[in-house]
Amino acid sequence: MNAKIKLADAMLPLIVLTIAAVATAIQPRFLSVDNLLNLSRQLVPLLIISIGQAFAIMRGGLDLSMASVLSLSGVLGVTLMPHIGVPAGVIAMVLVGCLAGLVSGFIIAWFRTTPLVVTLGMLSVTQAIALILSNGVPIHNVPATYVDAIGFNAVLGVPVMVWIALVLAVAATVILRHTVFGRYVYALGSNESAAVKSGVNVRFYTMLVYGVSGLCAGVGAVVLTAWVSSAQPVASPTLTLQSIAAVVLGGVALTGGSGGIWQVFLGVLVLSLLSNVMNMTGVSAYYQTLVVGIVIVIAVVLDRFRRT
């Protein structure tokens, strides 16, 4: 069993190195500074969303609403910025995401409903509100100071949006490994019945888990809106599925109760590398979607093998 775990832990880094080596052989400018910086920016939104998704999956659930919550957060934040200022608009994005997650968590926890159905319903609700607020079209009137500060500025040569993702990843790691909340996330995902008998407030901590996933969607809206210089009412609709694929591909069990942020990062890196290589080699977007679908199926199969 230990040998099996060690092999699983080593497999994904080897896959990352293999993809990088093949990409360099096909396209030498893959390792250029410009492309590596571009790759780092590309993986940030997916990493942020995947961190939130990881909390939901480790809890034994799922959050299908993250991309639509991201869209709503971005639209509402940009709409408010001319009236309340850029800093308050950014805070509004994060708060909207967190509130949407808490509402989903409340319904799941208090009414004992299936996360799949609840978050699917939240997906429709938040997507509809985003479309209504924006009249169904992207909002391009985004303050230049906000775009420059978060989307294109760099600190110590590293893009600000990458720093945001790193801080969030470190914070999530600390929470999961060194706090009571983190231990309860694993406990609820591993055996909810045992957690209840141990005195864990299941309803409260379930709400917190989905509050975290919503918060990550809000932070994702902050970086993605700044990066593309517009608020999209339908922003990256495949992002939620990609986050699930990244989390499971990284080694987080779909049944919950295990996993870590480092594993999530590796899963995100694999998907981002594949996307980057396909973009550089001119692969059609249709084929890229096909590859993502295949990776999702592979991730589910791998998850099954890990648990046998």
Side-chain angles (χ1 to χ4, degrees):
M1 183 67 179
N2 288 334
K4 224 171 155 183
I5 293 173
K6 287 178 182 177
L7 180 61
D9 290 341
M11 190 176 296
L12 214 52
L14 287 175
I15 292 173
V16 169
L17 292 174
T18 302
I19 294 173
V22 171
T24 304
I26 296 173
Q27 182 54 264
R29 63 188 177 90
F30 172 78
L31 290 179
S32 68
V33 174
D34 287 342
N35 184 61
L36 292 178
L37 286 174
N38 182 51
L39 174 62
S40 68
R41 288 190 177 95
Q42 284 181 341
L43 67 79
V44 163
L46 178 57
L47 176 58
I48 291 172
I49 295 299
S50 297
I51 289 170
Q53 190 70 254
F55 272 81
I57 291 177
M58 289 173 191
R59 160 63 184 86
L62 200 66
D63 192 344
L64 296 180
S65 67
M66 296 194 73
S68 61
V69 171
L70 182 153
S71 299
L72 175 59
S73 299
V75 167
L76 192 60
V78 168
T79 302
L80 291 175
M81 279 181 185
H83 308 288
I84 63 177
V86 171
V90 169
I91 293 171
M93 290 186 193
V94 177
L95 290 179
V96 168
C98 191
L99 178 62
L102 288 172
V103 170
S104 294
F106 174 82
I107 296 171
I108 292 167
W110 259 261
F111 296 98
R112 297 185 177 278
T113 47
T114 306
L116 178 70
V117 176
V118 173
T119 57
L120 186 61
M122 183 58 70
L123 181 157
S124 296
V125 170
T126 51
Q127 192 69 84
I129 296 173
L131 289 167
I132 292 167
L133 290 176
S134 64
N135 292 318
V137 296
I139 302 173
H140 296 287
N141 186 25
V142 183
T145 52
Y146 161 63
V147 173
D148 292 339
I150 297 177
F152 297 97
N153 196 17
V155 176
L156 301 176
V158 179
V160 169
M161 58 192 297
V162 175
W163 283 115
I164 292 172
L166 287 174
V167 168
L168 189 64
V170 171
T173 300
V174 171
I175 289 170
L176 285 171
R177 297 299 181 186
H178 303 289
T179 68
V180 172
F181 172 46
R183 290 195 291 273
Y184 286 169
V185 170
Y186 288 117
L188 291 171
S190 180
N191 192 327
E192 184 175 331
S193 177
V196 171
K197 292 174 183 176
S198 300
V200 177
N201 189 335
V202 174
R203 289 177 173 177
F204 176 71
Y205 286 104
T206 298
M207 273 189 67
L208 279 188
V209 165
Y210 285 92
V212 169
S213 68
L215 182 144
C216 288
V219 176
V222 172
V223 299
L224 187 60
T225 303
W227 189 32
V228 301
S229 305
S230 64
Q232 305 282 340
V234 185
S236 194
T238 62
L239 199 58
T240 298
L241 288 179
Q242 288 178 0
S243 71
I244 296 170
V247 170
V248 180
L249 185 63
V252 178
L254 269 173
T255 50
S258 66
I261 301 303
W262 171 247
Q263 294 169 298
V264 174
F265 171 74
L266 289 175
V268 168
L269 188 55
V270 168
L271 290 180
S272 299
L273 282 172
L274 287 173
S275 176
N276 183 259
V277 171
M278 288 188 290
N279 284 333
M280 292 184 72
T281 53
V283 175
S284 166
Y286 304 129
Y287 287 102
Q288 292 189 33
T289 303
L290 174 64
V291 170
V292 171
I294 292 172
V295 169
I296 291 173
V297 173
I298 292 172
V300 173
V301 173
L302 286 176
D303 178 67
R304 177 65 179 172
F305 276 111
R306 288 189 194 105
R307 293 184 287 112
T308 55

